[in-house]
Amino acid sequence: MCHDRFICIECGLHHQVLSSSFKFSVFSNKDSFSLAAEMTLRYKDAFWGEDSISNIGYEVICQRLHDGRRTCKDVEELLKMRATAEEKYGKELVAIARKAGGIYEICTLRTSFDEMKAQIEKVGNLHIQLSGVLKEEIKRMEEFRERQKEQRKKFELIMEKIQKTKVSLYKKTIDSKRSYEQHCREADEAEQTVEKMSSTLSSTPKQIEKIKIKSKQCKDSAEEAEKQYVSNIEQFNVILHEWETSHISTCEMFQQQEEDRLSIVRNALWVHCNHLSMQSVKDDECYEDVRKTLEKCDIISDNNCFVEMRSTGLIPPAPMEYQSYLKRDATSERNGSAGFVEGVMKRFSSLLQVNYSSGSKSSINAPVSLHTAETSEGLYSSIHGLQHSSLGSEQYKVVYNYEAQREDELSVLFGDTVVVINQGEDGWWMVKRNGLVGVVPGSYLVKE
């Protein structure tokens, strides 16, 4: 078992990976720790605004997460296109393997060709399986993306709400500040007016009293505006502190999401490369089986097999000789077989004469059929016996080992003696051995 670990797309946790016969590289704990150690910069320390109502840092982080979400979709699209290509390629390979011929080949090359077709079909099925694996990876990536979206939405709603409250209180505080400053100016002006009226001899006491009352009212309004201004500042600072706390927690959460996304996407691409490497290894193993079969392909054996199966004669035909017409009668008299044939011809000619001389159908069917039967029995009795013997089964000897691969096939070993029941035109012969019947390659048999 391999001790390497990777971050799971489904749950975001570390899991162990079982190593296969082909060594793949995966993310180890050392890589994860070194990655965490290098990340000294934090979102919460680097994304603040220029003023108290600015939200630009949060918006920049949100844009980054949005771009990351689009990257996840791009990876999903890449895997989808690759899965489609693998499925299409696999189906085409299977179709090629099933449509390929080679049924007219014999012996070891026929075996190699059949092995090639079988391995091509196997490779096609492996690519179809790879397509299914890629589709599962796509599904896990989509689930991870949706899960992050739900987590992010909660923090976005909190930040949106508190940002609106902060902006509203900020405006209210600014308005109260302006009101406070305006009332302070009015109070100062009223105070100055009182001083002027007091130093002026023409001012009556009533006017001075009236100005003092107005000045006192302005001071009271300024004090009230000041209290409101101070109260709004306090409220704003409370909500500002709450916003800062939410901003920090949101930054931490968003940074964790971004780290997870980077790790997951990198891991997905890494695993995808591992799948492709494993597919290449499996393809090479299939083709290696074909090469091993081709190593056993022997040219001399195939040629010898063809000669033994299809031989038409061991010696060339004799040259044509001149036969004298004048010597033919004398030769016929000396040759018993020729005389026999001549007698047969005479007997057949007499049959023809009887058939043609009879006009009715009954005369043809009665005496002539009897005569014909007697003649046939006399002429072809030996030939009939020969035909009967040719219908019997022939014994052949096995020259190559063959292991049955289908239910209708029969396993044979070198040196076995089998009885050939039927010689198929496709090269497969029906044989019988020890009471078992099945088909074997005809190129693996020679007549004893």
Side-chain angles (χ1 to χ4, degrees):
M1 178 176 292
C2 178
H3 295 288
D4 292 332
R5 299 162 71 89
F6 73 98
I7 298 176
C8 179
I9 294 177
E10 184 172 358
C11 61
L13 301 177
H14 291 272
H15 295 289
Q16 288 188 346
V17 182
L18 295 177
S19 60
S20 61
S21 57
F22 184 82
K23 185 177 180 181
F24 296 105
S25 56
V26 296
F27 299 141
S28 64
N29 282 327
K30 185 183 296 184
D31 295 333
S32 299
F33 292 150
S34 62
L35 179 64
E38 292 175 359
M39 281 192 172
T40 56
L41 299 179
R42 298 295 179 182
Y43 289 4
K44 65 180 181 180
D45 300 328
F47 292 98
W48 296 101
E50 297 178 355
D51 52 57
S52 57
I53 62 170
S54 175
N55 209 27
I56 184 151
Y58 171 77
E59 293 173 355
V60 169
I61 297 175
C62 288
Q63 183 62 40
R64 171 61 179 170
L65 296 181
H66 177 72
D67 295 340
R69 180 179 173 84
R70 293 181 61 181
T71 301
C72 288
K73 290 183 178 180
D74 292 340
V75 174
E76 293 171 17
E77 188 64 25
L78 182 147
L79 295 177
K80 285 180 182 179
M81 292 187 292
R82 185 59 190 255
T84 302
E86 291 291 339
E87 183 178 9
K88 182 179 179 182
Y89 178 62
K91 290 181 178 180
E92 289 179 353
L93 285 180
V94 172
I96 290 172
R98 293 177 179 177
K99 292 179 181 179
I103 61 174
Y104 301 106
E105 192 51 62
I106 61 174
C107 205
T108 60
L109 186 58
R110 168 67 179 273
T111 303
S112 300
F113 193 83
D114 291 343
E115 181 68 18
M116 171 65 81
K117 293 193 294 183
Q119 294 301 332
I120 289 177
E121 184 172 358
K122 182 178 179 180
V123 170
N125 290 326
L126 289 174
H127 281 275
I128 294 175
Q129 293 176 6
L130 176 59
S131 173
V133 172
L134 295 179
K135 291 178 181 178
E136 291 296 325
E137 293 291 334
I138 296 168
K139 184 178 179 181
R140 285 193 287 269
M141 179 69 75
E142 291 176 347
E143 291 174 353
F144 167 75
R145 178 168 51 80
E146 292 301 321
R147 189 163 53 251
Q148 277 206 332
K149 179 182 177 181
E150 294 298 324
Q151 293 174 353
R152 189 167 59 250
K153 184 181 293 185
K154 298 177 182 178
F155 286 83
E156 289 176 346
L157 291 175
I158 294 173
M159 289 297 295
E160 183 180 355
K161 181 178 179 181
I162 199 169
Q163 176 66 16
K164 289 181 179 179
T165 304
K166 184 182 69 168
V167 171
S168 175
L169 282 176
Y170 177 80
K171 292 180 179 179
K172 185 177 180 181
T173 302
I174 295 300
D175 291 340
S176 64
K177 178 183 178 181
R178 291 172 181 171
S179 176
Y180 163 69
E181 291 175 347
Q182 180 65 29
H183 283 85
C184 288
R185 284 193 295 268
E186 291 177 357
D188 290 341
E189 291 175 357
E191 186 68 24
Q192 292 174 4
T193 303
V194 170
E195 291 177 356
K196 288 181 180 181
M197 292 289 290
S198 299
S199 61
T200 302
L201 298 176
S202 61
S203 298
T204 63
K206 187 175 181 180
Q207 291 177 339
I208 295 173
E209 186 63 24
K210 185 177 180 179
I211 293 298
K212 287 182 178 180
I213 294 172
K214 184 178 180 181
S215 176
K216 186 177 183 304
Q217 291 177 349
C218 289
K219 287 182 180 179
D220 292 339
S221 298
E223 291 176 357
E224 186 66 26
E226 182 182 10
K227 292 179 181 180
Q228 184 65 39
Y229 175 45
V230 171
S231 175
N232 290 339
I233 289 178
E234 291 175 353
Q235 293 181 14
F236 177 77
N237 288 333
V238 170
I239 200 67
L240 181 62
H241 178 71
E242 184 179 348
W243 175 84
E244 289 176 357
T245 304
S246 300
H247 179 77
I248 292 173
S249 60
T250 301
C251 287
E252 291 175 346
M253 187 270 176
F254 282 2
Q255 183 168 0
Q256 184 61 47
Q257 275 202 339
E258 183 63 11
E259 291 174 2
D260 291 343
R261 184 193 68 82
L262 292 172
S263 180
I264 291 301
V265 171
R266 185 177 71 164
N267 182 64
L269 297 176
W270 200 296
V271 171
H272 180 62
C273 293
N274 286 351
H275 286 316
L276 300 182
S277 298
M278 176 62 80
Q279 185 63 43
S280 299
V281 172
K282 292 179 180 179
D283 290 352
D284 187 68
E285 289 175 352
C286 294
Y287 297 133
E288 181 63 22
D289 291 339
V290 178
R291 286 190 288 267
K292 290 179 180 179
T293 308
L294 289 171
E295 288 176 354
K296 299 178 182 179
C297 180
D298 186 71
I299 298 174
I300 297 177
S301 298
D302 282 19
N303 276 329
N304 292 344
C305 180
F306 168 70
V307 172
E308 293 171 357
M309 289 177 57
R310 304 298 182 184
S311 177
T312 58
L314 300 179
I315 58 175
M320 182 180 296
E321 297 180 356
Y322 170 75
Q323 295 181 356
S324 176
Y325 177 80
L326 298 176
K327 295 181 179 180
R328 184 178 60 182
D329 293 339
T331 304
S332 299
E333 292 177 358
R334 290 192 301 268
N335 193 341
S337 61
F340 174 75
V341 173
E342 185 179 357
V344 171
M345 293 177 63
K346 290 180 179 180
R347 294 175 67 181
F348 270 105
S349 63
S350 63
L351 284 174
L352 294 175
Q353 290 177 0
V354 172
N355 290 338
Y356 283 114
S357 62
S358 302
S360 64
K361 185 175 181 180
S362 59
S363 62
I364 294 175
N365 294 333
V368 176
S369 61
L370 179 60
H371 185 256
T372 303
E374 293 176 355
T375 305
S376 300
E377 184 178 0
L379 289 176
Y380 300 106
S381 58
S382 60
I383 298 175
H384 182 269
L386 179 61
Q387 291 177 348
H388 178 73
S389 64
S390 65
L391 294 176
S393 301
E394 299 179 350
Q395 291 187 347
Y396 281 73
K397 186 176 182 180
V398 180
V399 294
Y400 299 103
N401 294 337
Y402 181 74
E403 183 177 355
Q405 300 179 0
R406 298 180 180 177
E407 296 181 355
D408 59 340
E409 297 177 359
L410 182 65
S411 298
V412 293
L413 299 176
F414 175 80
D416 289 350
T417 300
V418 298
V419 177
V420 176
I421 300 175
N422 182 27
Q423 298 182 6
E425 294 182 356
D426 58 354
W428 292 88
W429 293 9
M430 181 71 71
V431 301
K432 182 177 182 181
R433 180 181 67 81
N434 297 333
L436 300 177
V437 178
V439 295
V440 299
S443 58
Y444 284 40
L445 309 177
V446 295
K447 191 173 183 180
E448 290 187 340

